[in-house]
Amino acid sequence: MTPSERLDATFAALADPTRRAILARLALGEASVLELAEPFAMSQPAVSKHLKVLERAGLVSRSRDAQRRPCRIEIDPLTEATHWLEEYRKLWEANFARLDTLLEELKADVASQAPAAKPTKFTKEE
């Protein structure tokens, strides 16, 4: 799988709120499919389907511990996604900084070109 394909698979897997919730649970430690299914109003096979998507994206792995097959979160795809997002964050921050500078320059130009305000004379009305 190419880096671009891995990134696509990561974001596709993260697009679903159930899969994000599963990852949040696995961030706390290993869990079985039964344990992962507990908080959801869905069947164990439905949770297994979500786990397969997460596995294909490399976000989750399963091991064998006697009769138990615990799932664990894998950090590498999330790290790659974070790096990708970070590059765009830096780009947008630089763009916003340039816009802020331009705005300050425009404000200074307008202020320097505006005629000085003349004092207003008030008269007493009788």
Side-chain angles (χ1 to χ4, degrees), residues 11-32:
F11 284 120
L14 293 174
D16 185 275
T18 300
R19 291 192 286 267
R20 290 192 306 271
I22 290 170
L23 286 176
R25 167 53 188 87
L26 290 175
L28 302 174
E30 292 182 352
S32 68

Side-chain angles (χ1 to χ4, degrees), residues 31-51:
S32 68
V33 176
L34 283 174
E35 292 167 332
L36 292 171
E38 283 175 10
F40 300 105
M42 64 177 68
S43 66
Q44 182 181 340
V47 171
S48 290
K49 286 182 182 179
H50 284 292
L51 284 170

Side-chain angles (χ1 to χ4, degrees), residues 2-126:
T2 69
S4 180
E5 290 170 334
R6 278 195 311 270
L7 197 57
D8 291 346
T10 297
F11 284 120
L14 293 174
D16 185 275
T18 300
R19 291 192 286 267
R20 290 192 306 271
I22 290 170
L23 286 176
R25 167 53 188 87
L26 290 175
L28 302 174
E30 292 182 352
S32 68
V33 176
L34 283 174
E35 292 167 332
L36 292 171
E38 283 175 10
F40 300 105
M42 64 177 68
S43 66
Q44 182 181 340
V47 171
S48 290
K49 286 182 182 179
H50 284 292
L51 284 170
K52 285 179 186 174
V53 172
L54 291 167
E55 281 182 284
R56 281 194 299 271
L59 292 162
V60 168
S61 64
R62 294 190 206 198
S63 61
R64 188 171 294 280
D65 181 18
Q67 295 296 320
R68 192 167 178 258
R69 295 219 24 195
C71 301
R72 76 176 51 83
I73 193 169
E74 295 295 333
I75 197 69
D76 289 343
L78 292 172
T79 302
E80 290 172 12
T82 300
H83 289 301
W84 185 85
L85 290 168
E86 181 65 19
E87 291 303 312
Y88 283 94
R89 186 192 62 77
K90 288 177 187 175
L91 174 77
W92 283 106
E93 280 185 357
N95 286 342
F96 287 136
R98 285 195 298 277
L99 284 172
D100 286 342
T101 301
L102 178 61
L103 182 59
E104 292 303 317
E105 289 171 2
L106 290 172
K107 284 181 184 177
D109 286 349
V110 168
S112 69
Q113 293 174 4
K118 295 181 183 179
T120 305
K121 293 182 183 178
F122 293 99
T123 59
K124 258 188 174 178
E125 291 183 21
E126 295 180 26

